[in-house]
Amino acid sequence: WNGDLRSQDGVFVEKRRPAFHRPATCGNAGRACFKSQAGSFRTEVTVPSLPYKLRPEQLTLMLGSCFTENIGERLRRDKFRVDINSAFGIIYNPVSLADSLSRIATLQNVTEEDLHYHQGRWHSFAHHSRFSKRNKEECLRHMQESLTLAHEQLQTGSFLFLTLGTSWVYEWQGHDGALSSSTGGSLVVGNCHKYPSSSFTKRLLSVEESVEALVAAIELARKINPDLQVLMTISPVRHLADGVVENCHSKARLVCTVHNVMSQLAIRGEGGTPSGETNKLENVRASSRQPLGDWVHYFPAYELVLDDLRDYRFYETDMLHPSGAAVDYIWSKLQDSWFHSSAVEFGKEMGRLRRAVEHRPFDAENEVHQAFIKRQLATIAELQERFPFADLSSEKVSLSRQLVA
């Protein structure tokens, strides 16, 4: 609150005074600055421009939480080349995410040993439930085909977008409480598949184990694609089922994890080998002194919601997920930071086409509307020639059906 009420002729009016703003600094690890001005009533997070920009023809692989899907669907909607959690589905914790990326990079085949039968369906603890099937062979085939495709995409992709959701994990203990992983230790699962809670032990990942897993996985990905650019972010979705304090604890560890990962990868990229305390939380402080590699970057989606928007108006009614307006804001910031000018123009053209396809006339057989449809079909032909990688077949079919013979 930055104003007070003063009486003027018996009427109370609000008298404004400039808000107090604490000067903010920019940390080298995240490179996201806070911008505030006298008289402003919000703290804006200024996202720096990334050195490598997304162009329309480039492929992006996206792995991680449901927020990854929110952003990925925006790219898909605008006809960018994108692979969204195709190999394992939605994954929330860093260790399971790292395991998924490692398996994609090494093309580690899915076998029958990976499957469990529960409630009439075959499941894998490494996969989202959308991969579960009633038939074992069909389940294996679907998982393996998706893994093979993701491996091929990783080899040729330009960007890898990783979103971390929570540091809380569930370790599979088996129905009888005995450790049941192939290595003799407990298994961190990516999805519980509605097994009884007694089959799992819940715990909080340490920063060290999350960093170790992610660094190893990213390095494997870079081995098969040395030109890969990595963009990391933290989901702004609140996991309040774990508890309010517990969610804050979890997100704090994710923040430390991301910047430690970036610091270690930068050191290794410069030919150094982290040792001793450099492997631990000292990396957070070290990252403010060491220049980061030019291929691993951080996008502050979490900070945009918590420190910029900072209002329940920007959450859905469940008070957990960012609202459509919040996702729109994050999307605009991501475009400003990541998109090449050609990608911005490409998105605008696809947006105009999408709105044209979504248009519903009062009289579909009217000559004016028929002429409009023909112009849009000509536009699709022109766009397809300029951007052969963009699949506009569904738009073409939708418009063609409105033509009167």
Side-chain angles (χ1 to χ4, degrees):
W1 174 255
N2 295 288
D4 55 11
L5 297 178
R6 298 294 175 86
S7 176
Q8 294 181 359
D9 298 326
V11 179
F12 283 93
V13 296
E14 186 179 23
K15 181 179 179 180
R16 293 285 178 180
R17 59 178 178 269
F20 171 77
H21 294 282
R22 181 182 300 229
T25 59
C26 298
N28 187 45
R31 303 183 197 168
C33 306
F34 294 96
K35 180 176 71 176
S36 65
Q37 300 173 350
S40 172
F41 293 93
R42 61 183 276 246
T43 307
E44 183 177 356
V45 177
T46 303
V47 184
S49 179
L50 295 177
Y52 291 90
K53 303 291 188 179
L54 176 68
R55 296 174 182 270
E57 69 278 4
Q58 291 179 311
L59 171 64
T60 299
L61 282 82
M62 309 192 78
L63 278 72
S65 72
C66 56
F67 185 71
T68 290
E69 307 238 332
N70 291 145
I71 298 301
E73 287 301 330
R74 298 293 178 107
L75 288 167
R76 180 176 287 164
R77 178 196 67 182
D78 288 345
K79 303 300 179 180
F80 286 91
R81 298 178 62 208
V82 61
D83 180 296
I84 312 169
N85 284 328
S86 67
F88 291 91
I90 297 172
I91 297 171
Y92 295 97
N93 75 78
V95 167
S96 294
L97 177 60
D99 179 66
S100 300
L101 179 57
S102 298
R103 295 181 69 168
I104 293 171
T106 59
L107 194 56
Q108 180 182 334
N109 292 334
V110 184
T111 67
E112 291 188 10
E113 286 70 30
D114 294 312
L115 301 185
H116 296 257
Y117 189 74
H118 180 61
Q119 295 184 345
R121 301 175 76 85
W122 290 94
H123 311 274
S124 161
F125 284 134
H127 291 75
H128 188 266
S129 57
R130 72 190 188 201
F131 286 88
S132 301
K133 305 287 183 184
R134 294 189 178 278
N135 181 275
K136 181 194 287 187
E137 288 70 28
E138 182 183 356
C139 182
L140 280 172
R141 183 173 60 254
H142 182 205
M143 291 177 178
Q144 186 60 45
E145 288 176 353
S146 300
L147 178 65
T148 301
L149 176 61
H151 177 75
E152 295 171 354
Q153 303 276 49
L154 182 60
Q155 288 179 303
T156 60
S158 298
F159 291 92
L160 175 63
F161 194 102
L162 303 176
T163 304
L164 308 183
T166 182
S167 297
W168 287 101
V169 295
Y170 291 85
E171 291 180 323
W172 170 249
Q173 304 293 321
H175 289 296
D176 58 358
L179 298 179
S180 58
S181 74
S182 59
T183 60
S186 54
L187 172 70
V188 174
V189 303
N191 195 298
C192 294
H193 297 297
K194 298 184 178 180
Y195 273 87
S197 59
S198 59
S199 300
F200 304 94
T201 297
K202 182 180 179 180
R203 71 176 180 90
L204 198 60
L205 289 172
S206 69
V207 173
E208 289 85 357
E209 61 187 319
S210 296
V211 170
E212 181 181 2
L214 285 168
V215 167
I218 292 171
E219 288 184 333
L220 284 175
R222 288 271 296 182
K223 281 184 179 179
I224 68 169
N225 186 349
D227 296 325
L228 190 67
Q229 294 285 313
V230 180
L231 185 56
M232 302 186 72
T233 191
I234 296 169
S235 170
V237 176
R238 307 164 76 207
H239 290 246
L240 295 191
D242 297 319
V244 175
V245 174
E246 290 79 2
N247 175 67
C248 292
H249 196 174
S250 166
K251 295 292 188 181
R253 292 196 178 196
L254 293 182
V255 172
C256 290
T257 292
V258 167
H259 297 301
N260 271 273
V261 167
M262 294 173 67
S263 179
Q264 285 204 21
L265 290 172
I267 293 171
R268 297 186 184 196
E270 294 170 359
T273 302
S275 60
E277 289 302 308
T278 310
N279 273 327
K280 302 184 183 298
L281 296 182
E282 288 297 320
N283 275 339
V284 175
R285 291 191 289 272
S287 65
S288 65
R289 302 188 300 272
Q290 300 161 349
L292 296 175
D294 63 355
W295 57 270
V296 57
H297 318 281
Y298 179 65
F299 176 74
Y302 178 69
E303 292 81 357
L304 283 169
V305 174
L306 265 71
D307 291 301
D308 190 332
L309 299 180
R310 201 175 179 82
D311 194 303
Y312 276 114
R313 290 175 300 167
F314 297 105
Y315 282 91
E316 296 289 359
T317 54
D318 63 5
M319 298 300 168
L320 305 177
H321 294 82
S323 66
V327 176
D328 285 340
Y329 183 70
I330 295 170
W331 174 245
S332 69
K333 289 285 190 178
L334 183 62
Q335 287 178 305
D336 293 342
S337 174
W338 183 31
F339 279 27
H340 187 269
S341 58
S342 61
V344 173
E345 186 57 35
F346 174 78
K348 289 180 179 178
E349 292 192 72
M350 294 302 161
R352 287 192 289 268
L353 176 61
R354 183 178 65 255
R355 290 188 291 273
V357 173
E358 293 172 351
H359 174 66
R360 294 294 177 264
F362 290 110
D363 182 3
E365 298 183 5
N366 183 280
E367 291 181 2
V368 174
H369 181 67
Q370 289 296 303
F372 169 79
I373 293 298
K374 291 176 181 178
R375 287 197 304 272
Q376 297 309 315
L377 288 171
T379 298
I380 287 178
E382 186 263 335
L383 289 173
Q384 199 69 80
E385 185 175 349
R386 290 169 52 204
F387 308 112
F389 57 84
D391 182 9
L392 303 177
S393 57
S394 61
E395 288 78 9
K396 184 176 181 179
V397 169
S398 178
L399 290 169
S400 297
R401 287 174 176 170
Q402 298 181 50
L403 286 174
V404 176

